Amino acid sequence: MGTEALRRRAPLGPLAEELERVCAGERFACHQDAFRQLTELRCADGAEQEAAEIVGAELPSIGLTAELGGTLVLGLGPGWWMTDSPADTPTLPGSARVSIVDVSAQRTPLDLAGSAARDVISHGCSLDIHPDHFAVGATTQTLLAKAGVMLARTDVDAYRVWVRASFARYLAAWIIDASLEYR
Amino acid sequence: MLSICCPWCGWRDELEFSYGGQAHVAYPANPAELDDASWSEYIFFRDNTLGWFRERWVHTAGCRMWFNAIRHTVTNEFAAFYRPGDPVPEMPVEVVR
């Protein structure tokens, strides 16, 4: 474990510290929540119940999230979910009709919080994320500053964005730039 | 920018989608019996409709699902969005303006 901890690097690299330092205001704050355990759960048509039994809880429908004991589950599409758990959570075994794959290295989560978080996101996202249309617990996949992301509203003034590792530094630089007027 | 309604995710900008060409082009029933001309007909030849057109789209930046739409190739209006396997909606009546 010791050497592992020395070797692993989060996608943002040194930019993570700058993001956290620059975006730390009361109206807008942003930081990377690195090294989370992400898994993708896919099931065949009609195997939704089987998937729910493997997870041990009802899975959220498309566009909604569910909190299962520290794990956030996102309903992304028909028969398609992503889970976001603390590091070193064991990956559940799949079955013939349900696939569960560790995709931790694919994306990195960014937490955006504050009363101006919605404005910052809206600078680069055409989706209407007003609470009337995107309530707490809602999730979707969309484009943020042209980068493909998963976006979830975790609280009234808190959003979580999962961005692909190769786009992470670009998006962090964009967030630093876009939040200039809210700091 | 077109506004397109994904049957699973709802209204999104065109940027999130990719175009898939004409819809309902059936795979040949007996591929082994096709001659070269029929194969090229199936692979390369599509309708070039002026008016309402059934076409495919994929929600690339969202749920990544394929679906069908009826779009007017002149005005870019959409008349219907439907999932694969759903009953195929009627073509709208062409309104001459």
Side-chain angles (χ1 to χ4, degrees), chain B residues 1 5 10-12 15 36 40 46 54-55 62 76 81:
Chain B
M1 172 106 57
C5 184
W11 289 98
R12 299 296 176 94
L15 271 180
D36 288 353
S40 61
R46 295 291 181 267
R54 289 198 172 95
E55 57 190 17
N76 270 336
F81 300 95

Side-chain angles (χ1 to χ4, degrees), chain A residues 162-177:
Chain A
W162 292 262
V163 60
R164 281 169 200 270
S166 55
F167 283 88
R169 282 187 294 169
Y170 156 73
L171 191 68
W174 180 85
I175 289 172
I176 289 172
D177 185 40

